[in-house]
Amino acid sequence: MVSMKWKSLLLACLLATQLTGVVTVASAEASVPTQANKQQTTNEQQQDQSATLTEQQQHDQQTVSEETGSTEDGHTSSTNGDGTDGAGQSNNQGTGQDLNNGKSPVNPNSIDTSIYGDDVLVIVANSNLMVQNNVEYRAPQPITVKNGVSFVSLRTLVERFGAKLDYDSKTKESIISFANKELRYQIGTKSYKVDGVPTQMSGTSYLQDGTFMVPLTSALQAFQMPYKWEASTKRIIVNLTAEPVAKFTIGPKDIYATQTEVKVTDESYHPRGLQIINQEWTGLETIYSEPGLHTVTLRVQDETGAWSEPYSETFNVLPKHEPPIADFKTDKETYKMGELVQYTDLSSADQGSTLEYEWNNNKPAFFEPGRYTITLRVTDNLGYQNEIAKTITVTNDLLYTFEEFNLVYSKPGEVYDFKGSSITTMKLIKPTIRHNQRTMFRSNSPESIKENGIIYQDTITGGTRIFMHHKNATAKNMNLYIVVKNISSTPTTVEVEHYGLAGPNPYPQETGKRAAVKYFDSFRNISGSMSQQVLKPGEAKVFIPELSQVPLKPDHIYSMYADFFADNNVQYQIVALESGKDVLKELSKLDILESNDNHIRGTFNNADRTFTVDELIGDTTSRLVFGDNTNDPIIQGWDAVTGQQKNNAGNYGVLYKVSLNRVAPNTAISFNGRGGSYAGALLVNGETVQLPTNGVLRDANKANIVYRTGDKEEKVEILFTPAAGSSMPVNLIFQPIPKPHS
């Protein structure tokens, strides 16, 4: 009974095993097409491939030269992605490669690359197959022909050539570092960049199923890969072998025998990105002992053992450089107190050298008796120095006091010490004051601009002076504009008669000073108007385009004085706008900014003021004051935006025309600030004088000469306008020059 059950169970197992084998074989056979079906499918594929290959062959035969390796249309390639092959595809996906690090085992029926050389990549047309040194690789997409141009996966080429691929998310560019170059590609463009320089491709890069595709032959040229088209096999043969390239620069520019340490910068590289492992220098020395022509040669070796061609640089080693010699003399060795000391430089240096001078104690005069040592140190352009010291003697005899000496010898623009408290003891000159009609358009508030907008606007006819001083208080670059619009019904001519513009820079006093200097220079150098434009009714144009050509960086300042004349009603607008925008297109969208600080904006009449002095001045010490609102009243006006009355404190923007009809012989005219520090300019008898030449007048105890009369009585004409960023009031001081002392 037990035996029968065991036999039945064994028979059932055998039957089940046979049935399973039948099902498995049937399933396997069902998955394989019949021989007839296989043949039909193969024929169809061959027909499709043949048609595609014919198109590929016709294109490549037209564009690929087996001898020269030229690209389609003679161009090169460009592309882009996100650091992956095709905008988001990861490094490990979509490569189409088999296991074993993307390599396929050598197939007996596969391509033997050794017939083409030792280091060769074979790319098969209309296929994703690439064979490098008898190892197969699969691209995520086959070579594709579009508009007669063959496209290939950029990432696949990068991997095969051993390049490095990154992605710039800001510019949306794929960055390929290869040998000594950087290539940048961007999707949807027909160019790529080589070290920042755009280069045209033969087709437009694109994404295909997440793969970044670029023109094949353009890419090969970009990577500097020599190749050829083998028409019989539909293969592109890329030669990967290359020798390293030796290159270097040598410096500095001037090399002196026995003195200069030579610096060499190695710029050698390998076209395929291989490592340079060895160098061979010839003729290189750290310091050359002999002058004359010298040649340095370099060869480099790569990791495969290949050596480069030699690269040489020939340069001239100059004879040994001699240090400079510091020397000077004074006109004599013994002086009286207050006597002018004249210094003559006698320093010397090698031909072609430049010297910097550092004096110590070389005062123009000494006002205490004793022995004084003066030193001079000179430094040449190579850093070599030399120093000399000489001693003079000052006796107890007095020639000029300190104040007298400055009146006699200080040059116009030079600062000298002045006893500020003495100003109140001086005679006050009271000129005849006459107002001349010139409307002043003062744009100075908000002085710190924090947004886009119209800073100030008003409608004016005739002569107008724009006084402008603004700072960029935003975090972006801004541009300032002067927009003039004809609001009359007839054509209007607008002239720019004079102007001075300074900036942009972050120093308000320096900007105000330079604007005043340039403004007065325009009176010296320009006859007639500087420019003019005719505006049609309703037409607006930008005037003084120099103002808007250079943007204001954050915390930088522009200052300007500009005299206009319009023969009809025009609207003047000062506009602040973020850089990169068209002011005339944006103007209608802009609001007028509020005047929100302690500075002044407004429109003021009588902005030209004439001071006439007919009495003799300079025979005794006297002064002429500007902008104190007592002897020189400030002008009043209004804010055309709000209608509020405004007082132009300090009379900034007012042009003073000072006529001194009788200035005594041997009179020194000096400038002295009273309200605080000052830096500006004025025009004296047609010559611009800076206040002062260097730096600023720090306080009321500083002054500088602006003019001296000769031995005869003179008429002196002065133009003056208060400088932006400086303090008012100020004085012109007239003092007799002491008679010459022996």
Side-chain angles (χ1 to χ4, degrees):
M1 200 60 189
V2 174
S3 176
M4 288 297 293
K5 288 183 179 180
W6 181 85
K7 290 181 180 179
S8 298
L9 181 60
L10 178 60
L11 182 60
C13 289
L14 290 172
L15 180 60
T17 301
Q18 288 179 344
L19 289 175
T20 301
V22 170
V23 172
T24 302
V25 172
S27 176
E29 290 178 349
S31 66
V32 179
T34 65
Q35 184 66 28
N37 289 340
K38 285 177 63 179
Q39 185 64 42
Q40 179 179 356
T41 302
T42 300
N43 290 339
E44 291 174 354
Q45 290 175 345
Q46 288 177 345
Q47 289 174 2
D48 292 341
Q49 187 179 35
S50 176
T52 306
L53 287 177
T54 300
E55 179 184 12
Q56 172 75 15
Q57 180 179 357
Q58 291 173 350
H59 163 66
D60 288 334
Q61 285 176 341
Q62 290 176 349
T63 61
V64 181
S65 168
E66 295 183 7
E67 295 180 355
T68 63
S70 61
T71 62
E72 299 107 333
D73 302 329
H75 296 307
T76 51
S77 83
S78 115
T79 43
N80 194 325
D82 60 356
T84 63
D85 187 14
Q89 182 176 324
S90 71
N91 293 347
N92 300 320
Q93 296 177 349
T95 64
Q97 299 173 352
D98 296 331
L99 299 177
N100 193 24
N101 295 326
K103 303 176 183 179
S104 298
V106 177
N107 188 322
N109 298 321
S110 68
I111 299 170
D112 181 7
T113 61
S114 64
I115 64 175
Y116 302 111
D118 293 334
D119 195 5
V120 171
L121 173 67
V122 176
I123 303 173
V124 181
N126 290 326
S127 168
N128 66 350
L129 175 62
M130 296 183 181
V131 184
Q132 183 175 352
N133 299 333
N134 284 345
V135 178
E136 293 185 358
Y137 298 86
R138 298 284 176 173
Q141 293 293 327
I143 292 180
T144 305
V145 179
K146 296 181 67 174
N147 299 322
V149 178
S150 302
F151 289 82
V152 68
S153 162
L154 177 63
R155 173 176 289 280
T156 302
L157 291 182
V158 168
E159 292 172 347
R160 298 284 53 79
F161 298 155
K164 180 182 177 183
L165 180 62
D166 292 308
Y167 183 68
D168 189 332
S169 58
K170 293 183 179 179
T171 62
K172 302 186 185 307
E173 292 175 315
S174 292
I175 306 171
I176 299 170
S177 301
F178 187 69
N180 64 333
K181 288 183 171 56
E182 180 191 81
L183 309 178
R184 286 180 174 255
Y185 290 83
Q186 193 174 41
I187 293 174
T189 61
K190 200 173 181 179
S191 67
Y192 65 96
K193 297 175 184 175
V194 180
D195 294 332
V197 179
T199 305
Q200 289 297 308
M201 297 190 297
S202 54
T204 302
S205 61
Y206 65 97
L207 277 180
Q208 179 169 299
D209 295 332
T211 299
F212 192 1
M213 306 292 286
V214 298
L216 173 58
T217 54
S218 295
L220 292 177
Q221 184 171 343
F223 285 100
Q224 297 181 328
M225 293 291 183
Y227 63 91
K228 66 178 180 179
W229 164 251
E230 190 176 77
S232 60
T233 61
K234 312 299 185 293
R235 299 173 183 174
I236 299 169
I237 316 302
V238 184
N239 184 6
L240 301 180
T241 60
E243 294 179 348
V245 177
K247 189 178 181 182
F248 64 89
T249 57
I250 196 163
K253 179 181 177 182
D254 294 325
I255 300 175
Y256 294 89
T258 73
Q259 293 173 313
T260 307
E261 182 178 350
V262 173
K263 304 292 185 182
V264 173
T265 303
D266 183 14
E267 299 176 353
S268 303
Y269 65 95
H270 198 287
R272 305 295 176 259
L274 300 182
Q275 290 187 357
I276 305 296
I277 63 170
N278 198 9
Q279 295 178 327
E280 183 181 86
W281 292 93
T282 304
L284 178 61
E285 299 179 26
T286 303
I287 296 178
Y288 289 85
S289 58
E290 296 296 330
L293 293 177
H294 292 262
T295 299
V296 174
T297 302
L298 171 65
R299 289 200 315 150
V300 295
Q301 186 183 38
D302 67 22
E303 60 187 84
T304 69
W307 282 93
S308 69
E309 291 294 322
Y311 176 83
S312 299
E313 287 281 355
T314 298
F315 52 93
N316 186 37
V317 175
L318 301 172
K320 180 181 178 181
H321 177 78
E322 296 297 333
I325 298 175
D327 194 15
F328 70 93
K329 70 175 183 178
T330 55
D331 54 325
K332 53 185 180 178
E333 296 181 356
T334 302
Y335 296 86
K336 296 178 180 180
M337 291 186 294
E339 184 176 0
L340 178 67
V341 181
Q342 298 183 26
Y343 301 91
T344 303
D345 174 38
L346 301 175
S347 303
S348 61
D350 267 2
Q351 185 176 2
S353 295
T354 57
L355 292 179
E356 292 184 0
Y357 293 82
E358 183 181 348
W359 290 90
N360 184 33
N361 210 29
N362 62 326
K363 296 180 180 179
F366 296 86
F367 297 91
E368 295 289 339
R371 289 176 60 80
Y372 294 89
T373 299
I374 301 101
T375 61
L376 170 63
R377 176 184 297 169
V378 294
T379 306
D380 68 16
N381 52 300
L382 296 182
Y384 291 93
Q385 294 183 337
N386 187 242
E387 184 176 297
I388 191 173
K390 294 187 178 181
T391 302
I392 61 173
T393 300
V394 177
T395 69
N396 289 316
D397 299 323
L398 177 65
L399 187 65
Y400 291 109
T401 65
F402 178 77
E403 188 174 68
E404 290 175 335
F405 179 87
N406 287 311
L407 294 178
V408 174
Y409 290 111
S410 290
K411 297 177 182 178
E414 284 186 349
V415 178
Y416 66 88
D417 291 331
F418 174 77
K419 189 176 180 180
S421 59
S422 67
I423 199 80
T424 57
T425 65
M426 298 179 183
K427 175 186 175 182
L428 182 63
I429 299 172
K430 296 184 177 181
T432 300
I433 301 177
R434 186 175 73 252
H435 300 115
N436 301 318
Q437 178 49 39
R438 165 81 65 171
T439 302
M440 199 261 287
F441 178 104
R442 179 172 177 175
S443 180
N444 193 202
S445 180
E447 185 173 278
S448 295
I449 304 166
K450 299 180 180 179
E451 58 185 315
N452 293 334
I454 300 168
I455 305 173
Y456 188 54
Q457 69 178 28
D458 199 359
T459 300
I460 304 172
T461 304
T464 302
R465 176 173 303 113
I466 293 179
F467 168 69
M468 182 195 73
H469 185 74
H470 291 291
K471 174 182 179 179
N472 179 9
T474 74
K476 301 178 180 179
N477 286 351
M478 301 285 285
N479 287 83
L480 298 182
Y481 302 87
I482 299 176
V483 179
V484 184
K485 182 178 181 180
N486 180 9
I487 61 172
S488 71
S489 58
T490 59
T492 297
T493 300
V494 181
E495 298 181 37
V496 179
E497 298 172 316
H498 303 97
Y499 81 90
L501 169 66
N505 69 54
Y507 309 107
Q509 274 195 304
E510 177 65 19
T511 310
K513 174 183 176 180
R514 297 311 305 171
V517 169
K518 293 180 179 180
Y519 178 59
F520 289 126
D521 282 346
S522 72
F523 282 83
R524 297 173 51 209
N525 302 327
I526 304 299
S527 58
S529 64
M530 299 179 71
S531 66
Q532 68 177 32
Q533 298 187 63
V534 177
L535 302 180
K536 300 175 184 177
E539 184 180 19
K541 289 185 178 180
V542 173
F543 279 69
I544 310 183
E546 293 85 351
L547 172 65
S548 51
Q549 284 177 350
V550 180
L552 267 177
K553 296 179 180 179
D555 296 325
H556 280 216
I557 297 164
Y558 261 129
S559 291
M560 186 184 69
Y561 303 86
D563 291 341
F564 287 77
F565 186 86
D567 58 9
N568 216 325
N569 271 347
V570 295
Q571 182 187 63
Y572 295 92
Q573 292 178 307
I574 307 295
V575 182
L577 188 62
E578 182 181 333
S579 296
K581 296 186 177 182
D582 188 321
V583 64
L584 295 180
K585 290 181 180 179
E586 298 290 331
L587 192 55
S588 61
K589 308 173 189 177
L590 299 178
D591 295 327
I592 300 176
L593 302 180
E594 293 184 7
S595 176
N596 58 5
D597 52 29
N598 295 326
H599 300 89
I600 298 169
R601 77 176 183 191
T603 305
F604 303 87
N605 288 325
N606 302 320
D608 281 358
R609 179 167 290 184
T610 299
F611 282 1
T612 303
V613 180
D614 292 322
E615 64 180 291
L616 181 67
I617 58 176
D619 53 336
T620 59
T621 301
S622 57
R623 66 187 177 107
L624 179 63
V625 65
F626 299 84
D628 66 343
N629 200 29
T630 300
N631 300 284
D632 177 31
I634 61 174
I635 58 175
Q636 297 182 339
W638 63 94
D639 185 327
V641 176
T642 65
Q644 294 178 330
Q645 183 176 344
K646 294 291 180 179
N647 296 323
N648 186 28
N651 274 347
Y652 293 92
V654 172
L655 178 64
Y656 292 87
K657 300 180 180 180
V658 183
S659 295
L660 307 173
N661 292 326
R662 298 185 61 203
V663 181
N666 301 309
T667 296
I669 305 176
S670 301
F671 183 91
N672 172 242
R674 305 304 303 170
S677 65
Y678 195 93
L682 42 71
L683 195 71
V684 183
N685 286 352
E687 294 296 325
T688 305
V689 178
Q690 297 185 40
L691 305 170
T693 301
N694 297 305
V696 300
L697 295 169
R698 293 194 303 271
D699 51 45
N701 294 313
K702 299 293 180 181
N704 67 259
I705 297 289
V706 297
Y707 188 75
R708 289 189 184 88
T709 59
D711 294 334
K712 297 181 180 179
E713 184 178 304
E714 295 183 28
K715 178 178 181 179
V716 179
E717 299 279 352
I718 297 175
L719 293 183
F720 169 71
T721 189
S726 290
S727 300
M728 295 292 286
V730 298
N731 284 276
L732 283 179
I733 302 171
F734 303 88
Q735 296 171 281
I737 298 175
K739 294 181 180 180
H741 297 175
S742 60

